[in-house]
Amino acid sequence: MAFQFSHVIVCELPNSYATAALGLSSPVDMDLARQQWRSYVRALENLGCQVTTLPADEKFPDCVFVEDTAVIVMGHALLTKPGDPSRTDEIKNMKPVLEKQGLVVMEISDPAAKLDGGDVIFTGKEILVGLSSRTNQAGVDAVSEAFPGFPV
């Protein structure tokens, strides 16, 4: 199955990213990061994607990583359950954005599940999910339950 992306959601870089983003191991040059972000958005637009840009939210240093917040397959979005509790409210904020895009939004019911969208790849035929410190087996199982038409 071939597919083409037509809509993309991005989020601007908050200033808080420079000092509080998860996993930082060296200083962040915010001018360079913003220049790279703008190039990324231009590349998406040049591919013909309709880009929805969300404003940066200083309360969420990692908000630029919108791919972590949901797994989207064929018009359905599964909100994730981040392994890091600092991102929980960020997921809640994404729900109305996804609904506004016309997606069917689903939530994970298993309280033990951890799922980070950055650990998930949809190939068009199957969904690959990596186990990590941010995604556990219960999170993988939640993806299977949400998208029964695809092997996980």
Side-chain angles (χ1 to χ4, degrees):
M1 167 190 309
F3 59 93
Q4 181 176 348
F5 296 104
S6 58
H7 294 73
V8 179
I9 300 170
V10 298
C11 185
E12 295 174 331
L13 270 150
N15 292 324
S16 58
Y17 179 82
T19 57
L22 297 172
L24 287 180
S25 58
S26 59
V28 175
D29 178 338
M30 289 300 289
D31 290 333
L32 176 60
R34 286 197 171 98
Q35 177 185 358
Q36 292 169 333
W37 182 87
R38 285 189 297 274
S39 294
Y40 167 67
V41 172
R42 264 193 313 278
L44 292 169
E45 291 169 338
N46 289 340
L47 289 169
C49 293
Q50 179 181 331
V51 178
T52 299
T53 302
L54 305 176
D57 188 334
E58 294 301 331
K59 296 181 302 233
F60 303 113
D62 289 297
C63 66
V64 68
F65 300 112
V66 294
E67 68 275 10
D68 294 342
T69 64
V71 176
I72 301 173
V73 175
M74 309 299 272
H76 291 73
L78 176 65
L79 293 174
T80 61
K81 289 187 72 177
D84 191 295
S86 70
R87 298 200 69 191
T88 301
D89 286 341
E90 191 179 334
I91 307 307
K92 292 176 189 171
N93 292 346
M94 186 57 68
K95 183 177 181 178
V97 173
L98 296 171
E99 290 172 336
K100 186 175 181 183
Q101 297 293 316
L103 298 168
V104 175
V105 179
M106 304 172 288
E107 297 187 44
I108 298 171
S109 59
D110 183 347
K114 292 192 317 183
L115 178 65
D116 187 295
D119 289 338
V120 181
I121 298 173
F122 176 55
T123 68
K125 295 179 182 177
E126 69 262 316
I127 303 170
L128 308 176
V129 184
L131 295 171
S132 71
S133 61
R134 297 180 187 196
T135 298
N136 62 15
Q137 185 60 50
V140 175
D141 295 343
V143 173
S144 278
E145 291 170 19
F147 304 107
F150 296 95
V152 177

